[in-house]
Amino acid sequence: MNTNQIHKAMMVLALSTSFAAVAADSAVTDSDRIEQYREMISDGNPAEFDEMRGEELWKKAAGPNKVSLEQCDLGKGAGVVKGAYSELPKYFKDTKKVQDLESRLLTCMTTLQGFTEDEITAKPFASSKKPSDISSLATYVVGQSKGIKMAVSTKHPKVKESYEIGKRIFNYRAGPYDFACSTCHATSGVRIRMQDLPNMRSSKKDAQIAYTGWPAYRVSQGLTRSFQWRLNDCFRQQRFPEPKFASEATIALTTFLAVNANGAEYVGPGLKR
Amino acid sequence: MGNPMKIRATAKDGVTEVKILMQHEMETGLRKEADGTLVPAWFITEVKAQYQGRTVLDGQFGQSISKNPYLLFRFKGGAVGEKIAVSWVDNKGDSRTDEATIAA
């Protein structure tokens, strides 16, 4: 992480809220201020640049097979992007797997375009030096579900199974600190430093807000981050071994969190501190 | 040439509101790589907005502005359907100009 960028982000935060702070009483919390800051720049979310980049990549012929991803089936038929994210994860007959958006993109990039899985999964996340194609593609796809309600079906037994596995992982305590996701994310009204911790196990509202705001532009990193990245970083915070990109465990957790967010309008790509 | 900006302009009650999102690294010149080498300064120094040949905004930017800067300003006048042009120049001499049509 880049402390310089954090300082700058915090300065903007301080500047943008100083007027409000004078007018309001002292009950204005840090999270209120972050919320104000978020609102202020929400119609100027730099994630839009990543959406643009993703859209170009989607339409561009690439890989050894020199084809675009326009025939990629994200679950609503070949080439249908609109509303696809609101229904993922889903069971896919061709791969015989439950897949989230990123693992499905990986399937399309390997089967249609002819990339090898290793080429893509070696560095699946963006850095300040190098953007990530799969991540930008995901940003584009999620943007096409903006305003559409989350509706992940657990009718298929494999999806139901994935949900149950995700739930178990969410509550599974291990590692040097004996942490589970639930250690940090199953109590309401708590925070770490300035970050409110959503209660994704028992608060429907928290689960919905937490899920539907990702992928997101991280102001502190100057990068748009995917959901796989979010999970990866929480595994790190939990002092667990790094999960494999698009692995069954990460998809199961995504299924658990996405189903808990059902009914909420998808509002991403979002904006985070 | 830099990357495109996103510009949104709306006119209402004789005032035009312009929202600009720029793509720029905005390196301060103070940050170091993990190996200790200094990342050279690279930031926008000047932002200008023109409406029908008239400069409606002339601003100086510096190191304290964040990466991918967002700027909102208003000016008197401006008609729906007309164009507003925004340009920036950075300390390496690179520049970028983009236009937007004023909406209602």
Side-chain angles (χ1 to χ4, degrees):
Chain A
M1 198 170 304
N2 174 339
T3 43
N4 193 25
Q5 280 175 354
I6 295 178
H7 285 149
K8 285 198 286 187
M10 296 316 285
M11 271 200 24
V12 176
L13 179 65
L15 289 172
S16 66
T17 56
S18 56
F19 297 108
V22 176
D25 60 19
S26 56
V28 177
T29 64
D30 289 333
S31 20
D32 290 339
R33 294 209 172 92
I34 289 185
E35 208 38 61
Q36 281 175 2
Y37 169 60
R38 206 174 274 161
E39 254 176 41
M40 211 186 90
I41 69 170
S42 64
D43 53 11
N45 188 344
E48 286 179 27
F49 295 129
D50 205 43
E51 279 187 81
M52 279 159 55
R53 182 174 187 271
E55 186 173 4
E56 272 169 33
L57 287 167
W58 180 265
K59 294 176 177 162
K60 200 175 89 184
N65 300 344
K66 297 198 172 51
V67 292
S68 77
L69 288 170
E70 285 163 307
Q71 287 304 307
C72 176
D73 181 359
L74 298 170
K76 291 176 77 78
V80 182
V81 181
K82 188 104 199 138
Y85 188 61
S86 299
E87 295 175 17
L88 289 170
K90 220 178 223 182
Y91 178 78
F92 287 86
K93 280 195 197 123
D94 55 353
T95 54
K96 298 192 179 59
K97 273 185 198 157
V98 176
Q99 296 187 284
D100 68 342
L101 173 59
E102 285 160 89
S103 62
R104 191 60 193 171
L105 285 170
L106 184 59
T107 299
C108 289
M109 290 168 87
T110 49
T111 57
L112 295 176
Q113 297 183 314
F115 287 109
T116 67
E117 200 169 306
D118 290 346
E119 272 175 274
I120 300 159
T121 58
K123 273 203 176 292
F125 305 128
S127 73
S128 56
K129 297 250 150 40
K130 203 173 173 295
S132 150
D133 289 354
I134 193 162
S135 198
S136 299
L137 283 162
T139 313
Y140 161 60
V141 173
V142 302
Q144 300 297 307
S145 281
K146 215 187 231 318
I148 299 174
K149 281 197 176 139
M150 292 297 307
V152 180
S153 164
T154 50
K155 262 201 206 127
H156 196 285
K158 283 286 179 195
V159 180
K160 182 78 191 138
E161 181 189 73
S162 179
Y163 175 88
E164 293 301 334
I165 294 170
K167 188 194 225 168
R168 279 191 66 178
I169 299 175
F170 193 84
N171 293 304
Y172 183 76
R173 280 163 55 174
Y177 290 153
D178 202 24
F179 275 164
C181 308
S182 56
T183 312
C184 294
H185 292 300
T187 316
S188 293
V190 293
R191 61 186 171 87
I192 289 181
R193 293 191 290 181
M194 292 206 332
Q195 275 58 64
D196 286 322
L197 292 170
N199 176 354
M200 291 182 275
R201 187 167 67 186
S202 35
S203 160
K204 181 83 183 164
K205 193 166 159 265
D206 277 16
Q208 291 179 328
I209 294 172
Y211 190 81
T212 57
W214 282 89
Y217 181 78
R218 290 288 302 251
V219 178
S220 55
Q221 302 176 342
L223 292 168
T224 304
R225 294 303 201 178
S226 69
F227 200 72
Q228 281 279 332
W229 178 87
R230 177 66 268 172
L231 291 181
N232 184 288
D233 200 56
C234 270
F235 272 103
R236 182 188 60 81
Q237 300 203 74
Q238 205 173 300
R239 276 55 168 187
F240 270 35
E242 186 173 347
K244 205 172 157 245
F245 180 78
S247 56
E248 194 185 348
T250 59
I251 294 168
L253 265 172
T254 305
T255 308
F256 174 66
L257 298 173
V259 168
N260 290 350
N262 269 349
E265 202 171 282
Y266 180 69
V267 293
L271 187 85
K272 303 278 168 181
R273 66 164 181 98
Chain B
M1 200 171 81
N3 289 316
M5 290 175 243
K6 280 230 156 186
I7 307 167
R8 269 166 279 217
T10 45
K12 205 185 153 198
D13 303 330
V15 175
T16 300
E17 183 174 88
V18 186
K19 295 171 177 174
I20 311 159
L21 185 63
M22 296 161 240
Q23 285 192 80
H24 203 284
E25 287 300 320
M26 301 300 286
E27 281 292 350
T28 60
L30 304 170
R31 196 169 66 86
K32 282 179 183 157
E33 296 283 12
D35 67 4
T37 51
L38 207 61
V39 182
W42 182 29
F43 54 87
I44 295 174
T45 52
E46 215 182 309
V47 180
K48 256 194 181 145
Q50 301 253 331
Y51 176 70
Q52 294 181 335
R54 175 164 68 102
T55 301
V56 289
L57 175 101
D58 192 349
Q60 290 178 352
F61 268 33
Q63 285 120 309
S64 62
I65 311 275
S66 78
K67 175 173 176 172
N68 298 330
Y70 175 68
L71 178 73
L72 182 155
F73 76 96
R74 298 183 186 92
F75 68 95
K76 269 197 191 142
V80 174
E82 294 295 318
K83 288 210 160 67
I84 172 112
V86 180
S87 2
W88 56 249
V89 178
D90 71 18
N91 67 323
K92 291 189 186 172
D94 193 9
S95 66
R96 173 90 210 178
T97 301
D98 289 286
E99 278 188 348
T101 305
I102 301 173

